[in-house]
Amino acid sequence: MGAVDKMPGKDAAAEVPLDDIDRRIIAELTRDGRMSVTQVAENVHISRAHAYSRISRLTSDGVLTRFTALVDPIKAGLKSSAYVTLKLKQDSWRELRDQLGAIPEVHHIALVGGDFDVILLVRAVDNIDLRRVIFDQLQTMPGVLDTQTFLVFEDVDTR
């Protein structure tokens, strides 16, 4: 399953009720997805068994969808980033969502309301590669009416 399969709204399920312990566990794992269950339990002040069962439930309920690493894009060789907005033909979102998710340089996809329909975070090795993604892949997709590109000069991850 790809990241697009887990996107909220694709097949939106009912909201899962969360209590304070669940929220504290989520905060700990968001801060460090490699944190051991023992460390989560210590930080949240619950038993290891309780932390394990809570994390298992949050995972099976789809609240925790995956554990991942945050990567410094510059150190990983992705020196050019941009937010790209798309205006779409009506009713083309469902078809385009999966196509957009298949482009390796597209790191985030959001369906939004406003002057455009979709915003993407695109990361590429350089501006030539970024241009290729925008002109040769995004702008040529059936259903994409218009794009606008906003270059990223500096990233600050607040998580």
Side-chain angles (χ1 to χ4, degrees):
M1 261 190 233
V4 174
D5 297 325
K6 301 281 187 176
M7 288 180 59
K10 183 169 183 185
D11 292 310
E15 185 176 327
V16 176
L18 302 175
D19 63 14
D20 184 57
I21 293 172
D22 291 331
R23 286 184 186 83
R24 290 179 10 224
I25 289 170
I26 291 167
E28 291 296 323
L29 291 172
T30 299
R31 192 171 51 77
D32 181 359
R34 292 182 53 177
M35 186 178 294
S36 69
V37 175
T38 302
Q39 188 63 54
V40 170
E42 287 178 18
N43 292 357
V44 177
H45 307 292
I46 58 176
S47 71
R48 185 191 178 290
H50 192 180
Y52 181 83
S53 68
R54 290 282 187 129
I55 292 168
S56 293
R57 181 182 50 77
L58 291 167
T59 302
S60 67
D61 286 349
V63 175
L64 297 174
T65 59
R66 62 184 174 163
F67 297 83
T68 187
L70 292 177
V71 175
D72 181 315
I74 302 298
K75 290 180 180 176
L78 301 173
K79 298 177 188 125
S80 188
S81 297
Y83 284 99
V84 181
T85 64
L86 310 176
K87 287 186 182 178
L88 306 180
K89 289 182 187 172
Q90 192 170 6
D91 296 329
S92 63
W93 164 243
R94 285 177 180 76
E95 180 181 323
L96 284 174
R97 175 181 53 204
D98 294 332
Q99 292 175 30
L100 293 168
I103 299 172
E105 295 85 0
V106 174
H107 287 241
H108 184 82
I109 304 167
L111 179 66
V112 297
D115 291 337
F116 46 87
D117 303 304
V118 174
I119 189 165
L120 309 172
L121 174 58
V122 179
R123 297 197 188 275
V125 295
D126 56 26
N127 282 347
I128 294 168
D129 193 37
L130 182 63
R131 182 185 189 284
R132 177 193 57 77
V133 172
I134 294 167
F135 290 162
D136 297 346
Q137 291 184 271
L138 299 176
Q139 289 182 349
T140 62
M141 288 181 155
V144 174
L145 299 174
D146 187 36
T147 67
Q148 191 167 8
T149 302
F150 302 89
L151 291 177
V152 174
F153 296 123
E154 186 176 344
D155 277 310
V156 178
D157 196 319
T158 61
R159 295 176 283 162

